Amino acid sequence: MTDFRELLDGERLSAGEEARLRRVHDLLVEAGPPPELPAALAQPPSPGRGQVIRLPGSRRGRVVAFAAAAALAAAAFGGGYLTGHDSKQGRLAAVRVVRLHGGGASGVIRLGAVDRAGNWTMLVTVRGLPQLASSRRYELWLTRDGKRVASCGVFKAQGSATTVWFNVPYRIRPTDGWIVTKSGPGETGPGTVVMRA
Amino acid sequence: MAVVVPLRTMASVDPDGELLLRVAEGERAAFEALYARYARPVYGFALRRLGDRGRAEDAVQETFASIWRSARTYRPERGPAAPWLYAVARNAIADRGRTRGETPTEAPDAPGDDPSPLEHAEGSWVRWRLHRALEELPERERDVISLAYWRGLSQSEVATALGLPLGTVKTRTRSALSRLADLLEGELG
């Protein structure tokens, strides 16, 4: 252990100053070193990317925020969203709501709480995406720092609004984003981005 | 008669408060400066509470995302920024603990040590303040503190390691301790 007397040996200190410095010394010994930051935290997050609405944890707050998020979704979809999907939404206690945009389409990703195994349930509703040929599909991707890192699943769109459930095991960070691509058989690339959060 | 102090004046005596006000205005540079000052204290706090590096990383990300979103709710007239930031971090870490269905607990400081929750909370806060204050030290002073306290080197060994005269090492050590005492004035009791 670092010896306080050895540290300041030869220094002329008043009793008050010595007591003050000794208290800092004791705190340094007690606290230990701050940890080195891992590479993943070398840079601050990019909080401006996407729009994430984090709902409060309390039951009452969650209900209020849930209603606010639902109202936001309803506004985004011109009012037709809630009436068409009310029963299904009620089964997901969302902890985050993320909005998707692109072209004339819009969408909402509702994330449920992660389970003990690390799975996230996602309820995704998109509106305004054109129906594709039977051999083509849409795909939802998780993105980090602007790059796609994992697929959350594929889906087809039909009608004015489409709602699909996904379950993904990825670690999802507050600053992660999402994109929706469209692609078809024989296409070598990851598809064309049609929506993003 | 009460004296009305402009908010900006109050915040200016608290550098972190000033940064928070700028973050509230959407200034990215201020956010990055705040991150440079607090990332390690937040990470250390999260690591002790959650005991898992991956989850601690997530908690740091969540903390700073929350700071960005909530900076406008900070009121400098209610107090300095450090406790506000601590509360944001504590909540983010607790949320991260709850998502795994676990109650966040602080790792004991020593085997067999069983401090009360209040002592835990006070210990976390003081550790937080100390690690934050260390970020304020000039690098030359932080180096001597680091070598002496966490590598266990004697002052002579620090002098050898840094290629400095022993007197310079002692001067820097005293200066560092004094500067930390100034920065931690409220916590020294």
Side-chain angles (χ1 to χ4, degrees):
Chain A
M1 177 183 288
T2 306
D3 184 348
F4 180 69
R5 293 198 176 281
E6 193 255 339
L7 280 179
L8 299 175
D9 181 39
E11 296 280 340
R12 298 168 65 91
L13 301 174
S14 67
E17 179 67 357
E18 181 173 335
R20 198 171 80 104
L21 300 189
R22 179 179 285 280
R23 181 71 181 115
V24 174
H25 165 83
D26 292 342
L27 288 177
L28 284 166
V29 171
E30 181 185 330
E36 291 301 320
L37 279 183
L41 296 176
Q43 298 296 324
S46 302
R49 188 169 56 248
Q51 181 178 359
V52 178
I53 304 168
R54 184 155 180 82
L55 306 183
S58 72
R59 191 179 181 84
R60 182 174 180 278
R62 187 178 296 134
V63 170
V64 172
F66 182 91
L72 180 66
F77 297 156
Y81 178 81
L82 282 177
T83 52
H85 302 85
D86 184 53
S87 60
K88 216 170 189 184
Q89 276 189 67
R91 280 188 255 138
L92 180 72
V95 295
R96 292 185 199 162
V97 178
V98 181
R99 298 176 67 184
L100 293 161
H101 302 277
S106 58
V108 168
I109 300 172
R110 304 172 62 80
L111 247 68
V114 66
D115 69 15
R116 295 181 71 86
N119 298 300
W120 297 79
T121 300
M122 306 167 69
L123 177 61
V124 182
T125 299
V126 294
R127 193 176 182 89
L129 282 180
Q131 185 173 344
L132 299 176
S134 60
S135 60
R136 295 172 63 81
R137 63 190 186 181
Y138 292 105
E139 188 162 10
L140 180 69
W141 294 83
L142 182 71
T143 64
R144 188 164 295 154
D145 297 325
K147 299 172 184 172
R148 67 189 76 192
V149 291
S151 172
C152 299
V154 297
F155 64 94
K156 291 179 175 294
Q158 189 171 31
S160 59
T162 299
T163 298
V164 289
W165 292 80
F166 292 125
N167 198 291
V168 297
Y170 316 125
R171 178 186 299 161
I172 296 176
R173 298 176 174 174
T175 52
D176 285 344
W178 281 270
I179 59 172
V180 174
T181 63
K182 64 177 179 181
S183 60
E187 294 183 16
T188 55
T192 306
V193 177
V194 295
M195 299 176 79
R196 64 178 69 244
Chain B
M1 181 178 173
V3 177
V4 177
V5 181
L7 298 186
R8 186 63 77 172
T9 302
M10 291 181 70
S12 67
V13 302
D14 174 17
D16 294 338
E18 175 70 25
L19 283 176
L20 260 183
L21 293 177
R22 288 164 55 197
V23 171
E25 293 168 1
E27 192 181 318
R28 175 75 189 177
F31 181 70
E32 289 174 356
L34 206 60
Y35 186 85
R37 292 181 178 189
Y38 277 95
R40 292 220 295 177
V42 173
Y43 183 59
F45 187 19
L47 208 50
R48 291 181 68 86
R49 299 274 290 200
L50 299 170
D52 176 87
R53 291 184 183 278
R55 293 165 69 200
E57 287 178 22
D58 290 348
V60 174
Q61 299 260 359
E62 176 62 44
T63 296
F64 282 92
S66 294
I67 289 169
W68 178 264
R69 289 194 301 266
S70 310
R72 69 174 68 89
T73 67
Y74 168 65
R75 295 286 177 268
E77 67 272 22
R78 292 183 186 171
W84 188 91
L85 292 162
Y86 179 77
V88 172
R90 190 183 55 210
N91 290 339
I93 292 165
D95 282 351
R96 188 55 52 184
R98 277 193 290 269
T99 58
R100 294 288 293 267
E102 301 164 9
T103 303
T105 54
E106 186 107 6
D109 290 332
D113 191 14
D114 189 22
S116 69
L118 178 60
E119 287 169 327
H120 270 322
E122 289 175 348
S124 294
W125 166 249
V126 172
R127 193 176 300 111
W128 163 278
R129 293 287 293 131
L130 179 70
H131 288 168
R132 163 69 187 90
L134 283 167
E135 300 293 326
E136 285 285 287
L137 291 184
E139 192 173 349
R140 62 182 184 278
E141 292 180 6
R142 197 162 52 232
D143 285 345
V144 297
I145 291 295
S146 175
L147 290 172
Y149 281 90
W150 300 310
R151 297 271 178 88
L153 301 189
S154 69
Q155 294 285 271
S156 299
E157 290 168 334
V158 172
T160 302
L162 296 176
L164 296 170
L166 179 60
T168 302
V169 169
K170 286 185 174 295
T171 301
R172 288 183 184 179
T173 302
R174 178 180 171 177
S175 175
L177 292 177
S178 181
R179 200 185 304 273
L180 288 171
D182 290 342
L183 291 165
L184 295 167
E185 198 170 351
E187 272 70 50
L188 289 179

